Amino acid sequence: MSASNKPNARISRRQILTRGVQLAAGAILFPDVVPASALGRSGKTAPSNRIVLGHIGVGGQGTQHLVGGPWTPAGGTTGRDDVQVVAVCDVNRLRLENARKLVNQRYGNNDCAAYRDFRELLARPDIDAVLIAVGERWHPLLSMYAARAGKDIYCEKPSSVTIQEAIALREAIRRYGAVFQAGTQQRSSYSFRHACELVRNGYIGQVKEVVVGVGGPPTYRMCNLPAEPVPDWLDYDLWLGPPPWRPYNSAYVGGWMAYRDFSGGEMTNWGAHHWDIAQWGLGMDTSGPVEVIPPNGKDVKVLTYLYANGVVMTRDPERTAREAPDGNGVLFIGTEGKVAVWRYDLKTWPEKLKNVRIKPNEIHLHSADNHHTDFLNAVRTRSRPGADVAIAARSITVAHLGNIAYELGRPIRWDPVHERFVNDPEADRLFARAARPPWHLF
Amino acid sequence: MNAFRTRWMKQLKIVMLAHPIAFALAGAALCPPAPVAAQQPGFMNRLRTYHFGADAQLPDEVDAWVHSSLKQPDARRAVARRLARLLGPDVPFDARQLVCRELVLVATPLEVPALLPLLHDRQLAPYALMVLERIPGPQVDRALIGEMAGLDGDELIGVIDAFAARRSRLAMPHIGKLLASRDAQIAEAAATALAWIGGEDAARLLREAVLYGEATTQRIAGHALLTLAERERASGHLRQALVCYAALRHASGDPSLSAASLRGTALALGAGGVPLLLHALQAGPKRMKEIAAATLRDMPGPAATHSLCAALNKLRPEPRKLVIEALADRRDPSAQAAVARQVSSRDAGIRTAALRALGALGNASVVPVLLHYAATGSPADREAAARSLTELQDARVDGKLIAAAETSGGEVCLAAIRALAERGARIAVPFLLRAAAGPDNRIGLAAARALRDLAGSDQLGALVKLMVRTSPARAQMLADTVADIARRCPDRNVPITLLEHNLRTTRDPRKRSLLLEALAQLGGARPLAVLRSSLRDPDADVRATALRLLAEWQSSEPAPDLLSIARTAPDTTTRAVALRGFVRMVALDTSLSPAAALARYRDALSLARSADERRQVLSGIARVRSRDALALAASFLNDAEVRAEAEAAVVQIAACTAGTWPEDTRALLEPIAGSSANEDIRKRAAQLLESMDHFGGFDMAWEVSPPYSRQGVDYAHLFDMPFPPEDPNLARQVPWQLMPVGLNPEQPWLVDLLGLWGGEQRVAYLRTQVWCNASRDLVLSVGSDDGVKAWWNGEVVLAQNVARAVAPDQDRVTVHARAGWNSLMLKITQNIMGWGACARFFDPDGTPATALRFSIPSATTETR
């Protein structure tokens, strides 16, 4: 399941960290995971120079952001001496209390404030930036509210549930001059950057095909589970947010990603990562495909995207698994070679490409090796981080287009310049979705 | 055949109940096709009474019906009409929300009357609006306007939002009136809607509200006016946009609104907006400075660059630094000269920023100045200049760096060599080989280091030759260089042969040791044989090096050699090195059973003469999961010199024994939790004891298999793929081991496979034995993350191929227990993130089952 929808994941990951340290130390006791210096107690960064951060959403992924984990930068935000986490926010009281305790334990004080309602956190003028890790049903609106409140934003992926949300989010972030980093992580990874630099610099010749290994749309189009009593630790109305109302069921809270009302499924979950890499490698950060064709059981076997330059991109996890060492990744195919990239590594054909050094006068893509650091640098310098909102909006649009093509069961044409469908009233109906009042895009 | 069929149907039923996707697929195959759209479908009565949790396939049937109509206008209208009939108050919420979802694609203005009443129902209104927003035509706008009077609160906001989505100019006058609503949320919705609708009328309404409204209205309308202005600007309507920004600047007290209007104004003015931004940078409040700095990067065109460069010297240090950083991000090379002049600034921040910016803006002409600062600057300047030297894009830069390195000595030469290495300048290899052999030791070392990145297998012979001739320090660096390059060789036999040859022909023991070091880094049989034979080298230092390299060998292959040396070595140091290596290798050898590993640790203990050596062995014992390992570690609890390590080992092993031998484990943990001198150990012991207190009725006695996966196969497909534990021919070969439990006090019942194995897209098996006092029915209650398949006494009784988070009692199934021991095996699939399971038993009446005992198969075999 996803990083952020698994209540037990937080604990498990934390255990891995602790256990890893124990094993590394053998029987020689159990040291702290984070050194005191990393906790800001060594006086490295003056408190006045620290970026003051609030965390909104402290479930599985949100807690990893706080304290570090396999899916987030080591040590988390509380392990940095250039950040001070002063507040946490969650609609789940149990998680909220747990996160507050973790922060206070890390800092050795009781200063961390806990909020159920994000609006109270955003109203604090002392908070410079927020780290948002809830579900994508909330990501665009929360980010927009934060930008309007003058905060910079690190927001987990996926950045939206609809195309319109992605565009509105981009406009709002620009409007208020906020820094926005999408939590896609992979743009702060050497292997993905190197793969894309190889492609962009022509090391595999002219790109002809991109094969992306991600899962498909949500399992369920509709939330159809029976009503259950709302637990006293959950503010269900605020948890639900913009999607239309339906009675509470615990499966939604634990597994919202399976439901279309809340999520685009794996198309947007892992897709936010891998479509993004495909776009990066193709140099399409300000554009996108022009046609999307769903499988038809005949000549089109898999979801297929066509770009204006003739590149064909497919969603074909079986093929990436067959042709690359790890199915969960991206395979670029050119006239003179191939590059497969996935979490942790890349493979090239010919093999020697892997160790090619990109020369200074070639295309160098945004370079970062820690997604938090990249965001915080951008906050300080007011520059754009690697996974800026405009990039995130384009990448998640690719995923949404795929879901809409699946939904309609026929090809759709897309105008990436004006970001709208081409003469397709049915697809237009799926471009946006009414939010449950009082929530709405602005 | 019938028996097979019955069993197959039973299995299918389990899977179908377990997996909605499978159900849907099977449904599609077995059920009649969806009715043709124009026909009255058979499911209308079911749809009329549909409620959540029942009739799981109905939504898919309805959806298929709707989609089948999309290509035929008549059918589509008929479908919409039939669906709309189900929107009446006699139909339950669950059905009506489903109908609305389906109407999104097919509704026409004809369905509007049926939808309007839903706007008065708080829960159904969002579903109705989903549809109403998407039906084209002014009839819908007029109908919605007609409804407004009877609505308030969220319901009214929903309709206003619908006008926004529909860009309804018809509704604008009605929306405008709501700008002054006392309900701030309604006013905000109205303002936002005007911004979405856009145009001069909307802008006028918002401007008036901003300029003349009450404070709350001003703020609300201000944000909307900003949105509208931005859209006007993006459409090229700069004059209209500037009028809006001007209104905002005059009226706003909201800092983020003021900052945003500054940005918009500057961008609309183009290069003419630069002074506004610079003024904000110099004198504005924090938010204004931040947005100005960001906007400098977005100002298009060389004229803006020119304005920024011209202003540099007039700015105070902090804003000047921000402008230099912005110029670097703008990547307009016309800024090079102006930025280069800032390098001479007395202000350290400006200087460093300028040095850094030259990397993005400069050409080869800036190499000398960057080299100067990379060699002699402050630490910050050195770093900035060095990074810029690495990034300069001009093709002439490498040549300039080589020339500078050849003609300069000292720090400049060193800086040039580092830059060449960072730039991957292979053209520098001939120069570096000369420098590595040259008289200056620092330059020689730096060149040897640079060759590590730049030299190839063609230079291997020259490097080894240099290595055996040069000074010891440089030779050490070259040994690492040789090893690195050798590892990159496609055929490792080539460098191995080269190194073996030089070993035979080199007399200097120090160089021979270095050659051994390089050889050892290549691994494999030939280097291992050379190390073994070097144990008999006439030189003591070479022998010591060979032994150390064997002790650090990457596999457990040299373990017998090391044990033999540890037993027979006459001197303490040799014995200690060999023993440490042996202990390390026992831990490396994952193929050893717990009993075999423990036997080796006992061997090591018999040779350990110091407390340090006993500690090393205890660190290995701590990783052995067995009751005997627990006892062995516990036998050192009274050894004052290693007590802390023994306690840590006991606590670590106890997690594995707590479920199967709780009494023994508790007896050892309690004194540690009460009196260990180490706080962390006390806490961990107490934590495990606390978890054990809350094991409750959960079965915590488990053995676990290794994880299994198949390349390219995900968790859902692994679910039905048999691995050795479920294959009768291979089951005996499975290296089952004790499963650690109770490590998480918040979920003491969790058998945490993620914590043990980690990973994604894989499966693992858990097995346990359940003793029952009599033959009787039990309810097996399981929770899992993700899917679970359960075998009770060898028969599949449960199959849930799902992706989910674990919670107790997610699946229940009745099983028949025989008197005595019964076997239970679980297969748990892993998608991503959490991975684990829990299991307990109930009596058929729902009360917790009594008279049960849990154990692991090997222990029950002994007991029986």
Side-chain angles (χ1 to χ4, degrees):
Chain A
M1 295 189 77
S2 85
S4 43
N5 72 344
K6 305 199 70 165
N8 66 320
R10 159 174 51 86
I11 301 303
S12 303
R13 292 294 186 187
R14 211 151 37 86
Q15 282 179 346
I16 288 176
L17 271 182
T18 316
R19 212 168 300 161
V21 170
Q22 290 161 22
L23 289 176
I28 313 302
L29 315 187
F30 311 99
D32 250 338
V33 175
V34 178
S37 61
L39 297 176
R41 294 200 287 267
S42 64
K44 272 186 177 174
T45 302
S48 58
N49 290 335
R50 289 182 186 156
I51 290 168
V52 178
L53 195 64
H55 277 248
I56 302 175
V58 284
Q61 185 75 348
T63 304
Q64 284 195 47
H65 278 297
L66 264 180
V67 297
W71 297 64
T72 57
T77 52
T78 53
R80 305 180 64 97
D81 89 328
D82 56 351
V83 162
Q84 185 77 25
V85 176
V86 297
V88 288
C89 173
D90 204 298
V91 294
N92 179 330
R93 195 181 68 232
L94 305 178
R95 288 176 165 185
L96 182 62
E97 279 307 307
N98 179 62
R100 193 174 63 85
K101 275 184 202 161
L102 282 173
V103 176
N104 286 339
Q105 277 170 12
R106 278 267 167 119
Y107 291 143
N109 59 30
N110 286 310
D111 295 348
C112 182
Y115 301 99
R116 180 187 55 83
D117 190 324
F118 67 91
R119 288 165 290 198
E120 292 176 50
L121 185 147
L122 292 180
R124 279 182 57 162
D126 60 324
I127 291 179
D128 300 312
V130 290
L131 196 154
I132 298 169
V134 290
E136 63 260 49
R137 68 193 178 284
W138 261 121
H139 284 161
L141 256 187
L142 278 184
S143 299
M144 291 166 77
Y145 278 117
R148 194 162 78 177
K151 318 297 183 199
D152 294 318
I153 301 119
Y154 181 114
C155 183
E156 259 303 326
K157 37 59 58 172
S159 50
S160 73
V161 180
T162 69
I163 297 174
Q164 188 194 40
E165 287 175 354
I167 294 169
L169 170 65
R170 181 184 64 208
E171 288 180 353
I173 296 296
R174 289 287 181 269
R175 194 155 71 228
Y176 292 106
V179 170
F180 180 99
Q181 173 88 306
T184 48
Q185 311 266 10
Q186 291 180 176
R187 292 218 179 197
S188 293
S189 148
Y190 169 76
S191 56
F192 287 101
R193 181 173 69 254
H194 188 55
C196 291
E197 284 177 340
L198 289 173
V199 175
R200 295 278 284 273
N201 286 300
Y203 283 92
I204 61 167
Q206 189 183 354
V207 185
K208 291 291 183 189
E209 248 188 294
V210 187
V211 188
V212 177
V214 296
T219 312
Y220 309 105
R221 290 185 64 253
M222 193 184 89
C223 300
N224 60 349
L225 299 176
E228 291 176 358
V230 179
D232 64 358
W233 42 261
L234 183 72
D235 182 334
Y236 178 57
D237 190 71
L238 211 45
W239 180 89
L240 193 57
W245 183 88
R246 86 289 327 284
Y248 169 82
N249 184 290
S250 55
Y252 301 147
V253 177
W256 41 264
M257 199 183 296
Y259 299 91
R260 187 70 188 93
D261 277 1
F262 302 133
S263 166
E266 288 298 333
M267 277 290 285
T268 55
N269 178 37
W270 270 101
H273 294 296
H274 293 333
W275 299 123
D276 181 58
I277 295 304
Q279 289 263 111
W280 204 17
L282 292 175
M284 289 286 169
D285 278 347
T286 56
S287 186
V290 294
E291 189 168 358
V292 189
I293 309 162
N296 58 14
K298 298 172 193 166
D299 53 325
V300 181
K301 306 290 184 201
V302 293
L303 181 70
T304 302
Y305 294 81
L306 306 179
Y307 282 84
N309 61 4
V311 171
V312 175
M313 179 165 77
T314 51
R315 183 186 86 79
D316 194 347
E318 289 182 13
R319 184 168 171 201
T320 49
R322 208 166 49 238
E323 298 188 20
D326 191 314
N328 185 17
V330 184
L331 174 66
F332 294 97
I333 300 168
T335 51
E336 294 165 30
K338 297 193 288 183
V339 181
V341 63
W342 63 98
R343 286 282 166 102
Y344 323 118
D345 208 354
L346 75 158
K347 182 177 168 73
T348 61
W349 296 265
E351 203 176 331
K352 66 179 182 186
L353 287 184
K354 184 176 179 181
N355 295 317
V356 157
R357 260 177 115 139
I358 304 302
K359 299 178 192 75
N361 57 352
E362 294 182 309
I363 295 171
H364 286 254
L365 299 174
H366 183 92
S367 175
D369 57 11
N370 179 312
H371 217 50
H372 284 171
T373 304
D374 188 46
F375 167 64
L376 295 166
N377 283 343
V379 170
R380 283 189 201 93
T381 62
R382 310 315 298 171
S383 56
R384 299 228 168 110
D388 173 53
V389 67
I391 291 167
R394 290 289 188 169
S395 297
I396 207 64
T397 294
V398 173
H400 293 323
L401 289 172
N403 271 341
I404 291 170
Y406 276 125
E407 163 82 30
L408 293 175
R410 59 165 174 78
I412 51 174
R413 286 168 63 213
W414 175 248
D415 174 352
V417 176
H418 299 99
E419 295 179 279
R420 60 188 179 213
F421 293 104
V422 180
N423 298 327
D424 195 335
E426 279 171 8
D428 287 342
R429 291 190 179 211
L430 302 174
F431 181 83
R433 188 180 66 186
R436 185 171 63 106
W439 310 112
H440 53 82
L441 299 172
F442 52 86
Chain B
M1 187 64 190
N2 279 343
F4 170 78
R5 187 174 173 188
T6 309
R7 190 170 170 178
W8 182 85
M9 290 301 286
K10 195 175 165 188
Q11 293 265 4
L12 179 66
K13 189 177 172 189
I14 290 168
V15 172
M16 303 269 270
L17 285 170
H19 199 319
I21 299 174
F23 192 97
L25 290 173
L30 300 175
C31 296
V36 176
Q39 298 169 355
Q40 174 79 18
F43 51 64
M44 291 308 269
N45 282 335
R46 282 159 58 209
L47 179 55
R48 178 180 288 279
T49 57
Y50 171 77
H51 60 274
F52 289 133
D55 209 350
Q57 68 272 43
L58 180 63
D60 288 333
E61 287 180 52
V62 180
D63 197 52
W65 177 57
V66 170
H67 276 76
S68 71
S69 77
L70 292 178
K71 288 179 185 165
Q72 312 153 55
D74 287 347
R76 183 176 164 152
R77 280 192 291 274
V79 164
R81 198 169 57 245
R82 284 182 180 131
L83 283 172
R85 285 181 197 143
L86 296 177
L87 291 174
D90 55 324
V91 178
F93 167 86
D94 302 10
R96 286 195 283 176
Q97 63 85 33
L98 172 53
V99 166
C100 284
R101 288 169 188 282
E102 297 300 337
L103 280 170
V104 166
L105 276 179
V106 293
T108 70
L110 292 173
E111 280 70 59
V112 172
L115 287 159
L116 290 178
L118 272 54
L119 297 179
H120 300 264
D121 179 318
R122 189 185 177 105
Q123 290 169 349
L124 277 167
Y127 292 97
L129 288 166
M130 263 188 207
V131 189
L132 289 164
E133 281 188 1
R134 300 289 145 201
I135 303 174
Q139 306 96 311
V140 182
D141 299 281
R142 281 194 282 271
L144 287 172
I145 290 166
E147 286 299 306
M148 282 177 81
L151 296 171
D152 200 1
D154 282 357
E155 288 72 39
L156 180 55
I157 291 172
V159 171
I160 298 168
D161 291 345
F163 289 133
R166 301 177 59 79
R167 310 289 190 267
S168 172
R169 290 187 186 277
L170 267 179
M172 205 180 314
H174 306 275
I175 300 170
K177 287 178 193 162
L178 296 172
L179 275 177
S181 169
R182 289 186 180 173
D183 183 329
Q185 287 186 319
I186 291 176
E188 203 257 338
T192 304
L194 289 175
W196 279 104
I197 296 166
E200 182 48 38
D201 289 343
R204 181 179 46 75
L205 285 168
L206 288 170
R207 273 202 314 274
E208 286 170 1
V210 165
L211 293 170
Y212 312 117
E214 292 176 3
T216 307
T217 308
Q218 279 192 340
R219 186 181 55 77
I220 287 170
H223 285 286
L225 185 60
L226 174 68
T227 305
L228 190 148
E230 290 285 291
R231 289 183 182 140
E232 293 287 343
R233 185 172 62 77
S235 307
H237 304 142
L238 300 182
R239 193 186 60 76
Q240 295 91 319
L242 282 167
V243 171
C244 297
Y245 294 128
L248 286 170
R249 275 205 312 284
H250 284 111
S252 173
D254 180 329
S256 82
L257 206 46
S258 307
S261 62
L262 166 73
R263 174 183 177 277
T265 304
L267 287 170
L269 289 173
V274 168
L276 282 178
L277 298 172
L278 294 177
H279 176 73
L281 271 186
Q282 292 265 72
K286 176 173 177 280
R287 186 72 193 141
M288 207 68 111
K289 282 180 180 165
E290 286 177 352
I291 209 161
T295 311
L296 291 177
R297 292 162 165 87
D298 297 337
M299 300 289 285
T305 306
H306 180 74
S307 299
L308 290 171
C309 291
L312 272 177
N313 283 333
K314 299 171 196 158
L315 298 172
R316 290 203 305 270
E318 191 54 32
R320 200 187 309 181
K321 179 171 160 283
L322 289 170
V323 172
I324 291 170
E325 287 170 350
L327 282 167
D329 282 352
R330 292 173 63 83
R331 301 224 159 224
D332 183 343
S334 70
Q336 178 189 315
V339 171
R341 282 194 291 277
Q342 299 300 318
V343 170
S344 57
S345 170
R346 287 183 195 164
D347 183 276
I350 292 174
R351 193 171 58 245
T352 307
L355 287 167
R356 192 69 199 87
L358 284 179
L361 302 173
N363 56 29
S365 70
V366 300
V367 168
V369 71
L370 289 176
L371 267 180
H372 170 74
Y373 280 96
T376 62
S378 66
D381 288 349
R382 281 177 186 235
E383 190 189 340
R387 283 187 63 189
S388 287
L389 280 170
T390 305
E391 291 172 8
L392 285 172
Q393 297 203 347
D394 191 332
R396 297 165 298 173
V397 171
D398 292 342
K400 276 218 164 198
L401 284 169
I402 293 169
E406 284 185 316
T407 54
S408 318
E411 295 296 333
V412 170
C413 179
L414 290 169
I417 289 174
R418 281 194 294 269
L420 286 163
E422 286 295 316
R423 295 174 63 82
R426 287 180 188 273
I427 121 180
V429 168
F431 157 71
L432 292 170
L433 280 170
R434 288 197 302 278
D440 187 312
N441 197 41
R442 289 175 67 209
I443 291 173
L445 275 171
R449 175 70 190 78
L451 283 164
R452 201 164 165 177
D453 296 327
L454 302 181
S457 53
D458 291 352
Q459 284 86 38
L460 210 48
L463 287 166
V464 174
K465 202 170 167 184
L466 188 58
M467 179 182 140
V468 295
R469 286 182 186 171
T470 190
S471 70
R474 232 181 286 183
Q476 176 69 63
M477 178 63 77
L478 285 163
D480 292 340
T481 299
V482 165
D484 267 14
I485 296 169
R487 272 201 299 268
R488 296 201 294 264
C489 284
D491 179 3
R492 288 203 179 175
N493 284 316
V494 175
I496 288 171
T497 302
L498 180 70
L499 290 166
E500 283 176 340
H501 170 75
N502 277 274
L503 256 176
R504 284 194 297 274
T505 55
T506 303
R507 293 193 173 179
D508 181 344
R510 284 173 301 183
K511 302 290 170 58
R512 289 164 57 74
S513 293
L514 286 173
L515 287 162
L516 280 180
E517 301 248 14
L519 201 53
Q521 288 188 52
L522 297 179
R526 282 174 65 189
L528 183 59
V530 173
L531 291 185
R532 280 174 166 151
S533 69
S534 297
L535 291 171
R536 297 186 296 278
D537 194 279
D539 185 87
D541 287 342
V542 175
R543 290 199 302 274
T545 301
L547 177 61
R548 177 172 56 75
L549 293 170
L550 277 178
E552 292 167 0
W553 193 251
Q554 50 209 258
S555 72
S556 62
E557 219 173 325
D561 308 71
L562 294 167
L563 183 60
S564 167
I565 295 168
R567 278 183 175 142
T568 58
D571 69 293
T572 311
T573 308
T574 305
R575 193 192 55 76
V577 172
L579 184 62
R580 189 176 66 235
F582 175 70
V583 170
R584 181 178 156 270
M585 273 161 204
V586 178
L588 275 182
D589 190 349
T590 51
S591 69
L592 291 175
S593 69
L598 210 54
R600 283 164 176 69
Y601 285 127
R602 287 186 201 279
D603 284 343
L605 278 172
S606 70
L607 297 168
R609 292 183 191 165
S610 68
D612 271 350
E613 288 172 350
R614 294 201 296 283
R615 285 191 192 103
Q616 285 164 20
V617 182
L618 275 167
S619 76
I621 293 171
R623 299 175 202 189
V624 181
R625 296 178 197 168
S626 74
R627 195 184 193 182
D628 290 343
L630 185 71
L632 184 58
S635 70
F636 285 86
L637 288 171
N638 292 324
D639 181 340
E641 288 184 303
V642 299
R643 180 178 300 144
E645 285 74 16
E647 288 174 344
V650 165
V651 172
Q652 193 161 326
I653 302 166
C656 301
T657 58
T660 308
W661 299 284
E663 292 80 13
D664 296 0
T665 307
R666 187 179 287 279
L668 288 169
L669 282 177
E670 280 175 346
I672 294 173
S675 63
S676 172
N678 183 287
E679 189 187 347
D680 286 326
I681 293 176
R682 275 204 315 274
K683 272 188 193 167
R684 289 188 61 84
Q687 186 175 305
L688 184 51
L689 284 166
E690 189 191 338
S691 288
M692 292 173 71
D693 289 341
H694 294 92
F695 282 172
F698 286 94
D699 182 351
M700 305 304 291
W702 295 96
E703 285 182 323
V704 62
S705 75
Y708 300 98
S709 60
R710 286 282 180 277
Q711 187 174 317
V713 182
D714 71 7
Y715 74 101
H717 292 89
L718 291 171
F719 186 81
D720 285 322
M721 194 173 276
F723 291 97
E726 54 182 302
D727 182 334
N729 298 319
L730 300 172
R732 285 183 177 280
Q733 298 165 22
V734 176
W736 293 97
Q737 50 183 303
L738 273 174
M739 177 72 209
V741 292
L743 292 175
N744 175 4
E746 292 178 50
Q747 293 172 305
W749 37 263
L750 178 66
V751 181
D752 184 4
L753 291 164
L754 184 74
L756 182 68
W757 297 129
E760 297 168 0
Q761 310 306 336
R762 48 197 357 206
V763 300
Y765 295 79
L766 295 163
R767 67 175 189 176
T768 186
Q769 294 284 105
V770 183
W771 184 87
C772 193
N773 63 334
S775 172
R776 65 192 233 227
D777 280 349
L778 292 170
V779 176
L780 166 62
S781 177
V782 178
S784 66
D785 179 343
D786 289 284
V788 57
K789 190 180 280 189
W791 287 259
W792 177 256
N793 288 328
E795 292 290 319
V796 174
V797 292
L798 173 69
Q800 279 283 29
N801 190 357
V802 291
R804 66 184 179 191
V806 67
D809 309 323
Q810 288 167 310
D811 304 302
R812 294 182 182 219
V813 60
T814 301
V815 295
H816 184 75
R818 56 192 175 218
W821 289 104
N822 298 269
S823 70
L824 171 64
M825 182 168 80
L826 305 179
K827 177 182 189 177
I828 310 294
T829 60
Q830 159 66 338
N831 182 16
I832 58 171
M833 296 301 293
W835 184 20
C838 59
R840 59 179 162 181
F841 291 87
F842 293 91
D843 281 326
D845 66 0
T847 57
T850 53
L852 299 181
R853 290 206 321 263
F854 306 116
S855 190
I856 56 170
S858 55
T860 56
T861 306
E862 287 164 17
T863 339
R864 277 185 289 179

